[in-house]
Amino acid sequence: MRSIAELGEFGLIARTRRAASSGGPSVRLGIGDDAALLRVRRGQDTVVSTDASTEGVHFRWRNAHPRTVGRRAMLAALSDLAAMGARPLAFTWALAAPPSLPLSRFDALLAGLLAESQPQHCALVGGNVSRAVRTSLTLTVLGSVPGGRALRRKARAGDRILLTGVLGASALDRLRAERSGGRIRHLPASRLAAGRRLARTAGVVGCIDVSDGLEADLGHLLGPELELPLEPARLPRAPGFERACARLGVSATELLLRGGEDYELLFSVRGNAPSASTLSRRLAVPVTELGRVRRGSSGRRAGGWRHF
Amino acid sequence: MRSIAELGEFGLIARTRRAASSGGPSVRLGIGDDAALLRVRRGQDTVVSTDASTEGVHFRWRNAHPRTVGRRAMLAALSDLAAMGARPLAFTWALAAPPSLPLSRFDALLAGLLAESQPQHCALVGGNVSRAVRTSLTLTVLGSVPGGRALRRKARAGDRILLTGVLGASALDRLRAERSGGRIRHLPASRLAAGRRLARTAGVVGCIDVSDGLEADLGHLLGPELELPLEPARLPRAPGFERACARLGVSATELLLRGGEDYELLFSVRGNAPSASTLSRRLAVPVTELGRVRRGSSGRRAGGWRHF
């Protein structure tokens, strides 16, 4: 008997997409991007995305403060809105937890969610609480974007690919916590403001957030027929990153390419798009140009986080 | 150390509501009703609700076909839109499951969801698949309702309370399946069309769907200072209900009042609202008047499904 493990996460998503087939009259974009788009109002699209964090998969109580778990879960969910260029409106949460979950942990989880959502004016408007063997947190975020301006996963040969911020910090912190028995401390920066600005910038074509790792998400942005040879030496990283990797005995290149949970924006531009340095000034974040898209798939490798 | 079990589901919802405090500029109704309301467009509100079904809590593989699990999960989620008088737009799902989940079960779950969502033009637009110890299904449904017409949980002294359909069928079926080792077969009827019609009917004031059981949900509709003495003999039930209860050795009154998962609409009307028989004709479903709301809380008992 075949199990879902044989298909893996992306196989299951493709299968779901085929089964769901048709959209409705309001659906502008369905399964397969960072978020879905609904046209509720002329000139404005509603953006919706669902994201889950599960104990033992995405977090472990022994190495993360529950407030950090909440903050990271919210940052991950909001990152999908950022990648669409959307403004957050509201969110719902579904908490599944064992009855023995300490109330202090519930409070800290919730405080963590709100610590990230409130500065973005993203209101908690509902949810669900139910019993489970392990704790999990499912967040559905709603946002809005001017009609037709959402940044989908799009690129073509000749486009330049750019990236906000630096890579590898989240993976490095996770490894450090694992090796030292300490706690996860790193919180990715919110790129909501940068995403909104990108959606209003001429020449910016497509965008994805780096959650599974640069290499995997670049594959999602480009699709099966395009490639971008990555030069590890050109990938942006924090000062002292190599030294920290060497201390832990891990490959810096591995973490930069496949670390994941960076939540930086990876985007495609063409034509009269501004240069990396101009964009960096406008977005008020570092922006690095990674290269130019070409036809082919020779450089492609499977990578990223495997759920099953 | 206090655990979340001490507060219970409704205590946790109240705690969440206090912590979340403020809404955003688009939030018309936050935590505490069947769904939240966002004003995205002048004259139209967006409705959002999240609902979870968990293995071992809401369903068991041994007594429910996975397609039935999917259909029931979707019916439960759509019922919250029905209770607001909303038209469904789209939904997202978050599936958490062990890697060993048979692919046939995944397919049947999804087919069950779509069997209920597609006739309602509620498109599956996204979601999340992740690993977990037990299977759970979190659905977030989006709908729309003409601005200011959503049916909230509202009633005042003097209002009449009415109910669509019959009670107890879901609980009876669950008990039958448990006792016989057979499968759950019952599927609650969709009340989406009835809810939309109610939202356009003059004199209809408030509405809730009966998910936790009539007694508990009546308490949610009326709030702490109102009551409606229920006469079990007047509660609507399917033909042969008493006989079936007697065969299983369970109290018919118990199932009618506290069985739960009926997903009928319980609503308050006043003034020039039509009679039960007129409403029944218009909604094309049986409608029963249960009585008149008065001040007091003497008849109140705690009831309904306890998660913790």
Side-chain angles (χ1 to χ4, degrees):
Chain A
M1 195 165 57
R2 293 175 77 197
S3 74
I4 57 172
E6 290 176 51
L7 262 75
E9 183 185 3
F10 296 110
L12 292 173
I13 293 171
R15 200 172 181 89
T16 304
R17 193 178 186 172
R18 280 194 301 274
S21 66
S22 64
S26 319
V27 178
R28 289 179 58 79
L29 180 63
I31 297 169
D33 212 300
D34 296 304
L37 291 175
L38 306 176
R39 169 70 45 102
V40 180
R41 164 183 165 187
R42 203 183 158 83
Q44 189 158 31
D45 291 331
T46 295
V47 186
V48 55
S49 174
T50 291
D51 208 35
S53 287
T54 305
E55 181 189 349
V57 181
H58 303 90
F59 66 87
R60 286 170 177 79
W61 292 128
R62 63 172 163 68
N63 74 355
H65 191 281
R67 191 180 153 90
T68 307
V69 171
R71 291 186 71 176
R72 289 181 60 100
M74 195 73 230
L75 283 163
L78 289 174
S79 179
D80 285 322
L81 295 186
M84 300 300 280
R87 180 172 66 87
L89 287 174
F91 76 102
T92 65
W93 74 324
L95 176 74
S100 61
L101 186 83
L103 193 55
S104 58
R105 205 169 263 185
F106 172 91
D107 287 340
L109 259 179
L110 181 56
L113 291 180
L114 296 170
E116 294 299 331
S117 63
Q118 284 175 339
Q120 306 294 344
H121 308 290
C122 185
L124 173 55
V125 294
N128 194 85
V129 191
S130 64
R131 183 155 47 89
V133 180
R134 289 205 191 156
T135 302
S136 77
L137 203 57
T138 305
L139 302 178
T140 298
V141 288
L142 297 173
S144 73
V145 65
R149 300 305 301 264
L151 297 170
R152 300 164 59 163
R153 296 179 178 179
K154 263 195 325 203
R156 68 179 185 208
D159 286 352
R160 291 178 290 131
I161 300 294
L162 296 97
L163 177 77
T164 62
V166 296
L167 296 170
S170 212
L172 182 65
D173 184 58
R174 195 174 59 229
L175 278 174
R176 181 203 45 75
E178 271 171 26
R179 304 277 167 90
S180 70
R183 278 182 163 174
I184 282 173
R185 291 188 297 242
H186 179 72
L187 289 168
S190 166
R191 297 300 182 214
L192 279 162
R196 283 210 292 284
R197 183 59 74 100
L198 284 176
R200 292 194 306 264
T201 301
V204 176
V205 180
C207 186
I208 188 173
D209 67 318
V210 182
S211 53
D212 292 332
L214 176 65
E215 202 174 60
D217 289 312
L218 184 61
H220 299 146
L221 180 67
L222 300 185
E225 283 157 22
L226 298 175
E227 65 177 10
L228 175 81
L230 290 170
E231 293 173 43
R234 276 175 74 176
L235 298 178
R237 67 208 75 189
F241 183 74
E242 263 83 8
R243 212 170 47 242
C245 287
R247 259 203 309 275
L248 288 173
V250 293
S251 149
T253 301
E254 179 68 21
L255 293 194
L256 293 169
L257 285 174
R258 287 179 284 273
E261 297 186 335
D262 299 296
Y263 302 114
E264 295 297 345
L265 300 181
L266 181 70
F267 55 103
S268 55
V269 308
R270 68 181 69 143
N272 56 347
S275 67
S277 62
T278 304
L279 278 169
S280 177
R281 224 170 27 246
R282 282 204 203 155
L283 307 183
V285 289
V287 173
T288 306
E289 181 165 335
L290 302 183
R292 207 173 272 276
V293 179
R294 65 185 192 196
R295 290 191 190 286
S297 56
S298 58
R300 189 71 42 80
R301 273 184 288 177
W305 171 256
R306 274 186 69 86
H307 269 284
F308 297 108
Chain B
M1 195 165 59
R2 293 175 77 197
S3 75
I4 57 172
E6 290 175 51
L7 261 76
E9 184 186 3
F10 297 108
L12 292 173
I13 293 171
R15 200 173 182 91
T16 304
R17 192 179 186 169
R18 281 194 301 275
S21 66
S22 65
S26 319
V27 178
R28 290 179 57 80
L29 180 64
I31 297 168
D33 212 300
D34 295 305
L37 293 175
L38 305 176
R39 170 69 48 101
V40 179
R41 165 184 165 185
R42 202 182 161 85
Q44 189 157 30
D45 291 331
T46 295
V47 186
V48 55
S49 173
T50 291
D51 208 35
S53 287
T54 306
E55 181 189 350
V57 182
H58 302 91
F59 67 87
R60 285 169 178 79
W61 292 127
R62 65 172 162 69
N63 74 354
H65 190 282
R67 190 179 154 91
T68 307
V69 171
R71 292 187 68 176
R72 289 181 61 99
M74 195 72 229
L75 283 163
L78 289 174
S79 179
D80 285 321
L81 295 186
M84 300 301 278
R87 181 172 65 86
L89 288 175
F91 77 102
T92 65
W93 74 325
L95 176 73
S100 61
L101 186 83
L103 193 55
S104 58
R105 205 169 264 184
F106 173 91
D107 287 340
L109 260 180
L110 181 56
L113 291 179
L114 296 171
E116 294 299 329
S117 63
Q118 284 175 339
Q120 306 295 343
H121 308 289
C122 185
L124 174 55
V125 293
N128 195 85
V129 192
S130 64
R131 184 154 47 89
V133 180
R134 289 206 191 156
T135 302
S136 76
L137 203 56
T138 304
L139 303 177
T140 298
V141 289
L142 297 173
S144 73
V145 65
R149 300 305 301 264
L151 296 170
R152 299 162 59 161
R153 297 180 177 178
K154 263 198 319 205
R156 67 179 184 207
D159 286 352
R160 290 178 291 132
I161 300 294
L162 295 97
L163 178 76
T164 62
V166 296
L167 297 171
S170 212
L172 182 65
D173 184 57
R174 194 174 59 230
L175 277 174
R176 180 201 48 73
E178 272 172 25
R179 302 279 168 91
S180 70
R183 277 181 164 176
I184 282 174
R185 290 189 298 242
H186 179 73
L187 290 168
S190 166
R191 297 302 182 212
L192 279 162
R196 283 210 292 283
R197 184 59 73 100
L198 284 177
R200 293 194 305 263
T201 302
V204 175
V205 180
C207 187
I208 188 173
D209 67 318
V210 181
S211 53
D212 292 333
L214 177 65
E215 204 174 60
D217 289 312
L218 184 61
H220 298 146
L221 179 67
L222 301 186
E225 282 158 23
L226 299 174
E227 65 178 10
L228 175 82
L230 290 170
E231 294 173 42
R234 277 176 74 176
L235 298 178
R237 68 207 73 190
F241 184 73
E242 261 85 7
R243 212 169 47 240
C245 287
R247 259 204 307 275
L248 289 173
V250 292
S251 150
T253 301
E254 179 67 21
L255 294 194
L256 293 169
L257 285 174
R258 288 179 281 274
E261 297 185 334
D262 300 296
Y263 302 114
E264 294 296 345
L265 299 182
L266 181 69
F267 56 102
S268 55
V269 308
R270 66 179 70 142
N272 56 348
S275 67
S277 61
T278 304
L279 279 170
S280 177
R281 224 168 28 242
R282 282 202 203 157
L283 306 183
V285 288
V287 173
T288 306
E289 180 164 335
L290 301 183
R292 208 172 269 277
V293 178
R294 65 186 192 195
R295 288 189 193 287
S297 56
S298 57
R300 190 69 44 78
R301 273 182 287 175
W305 172 256
R306 275 187 68 85
H307 269 284
F308 297 108

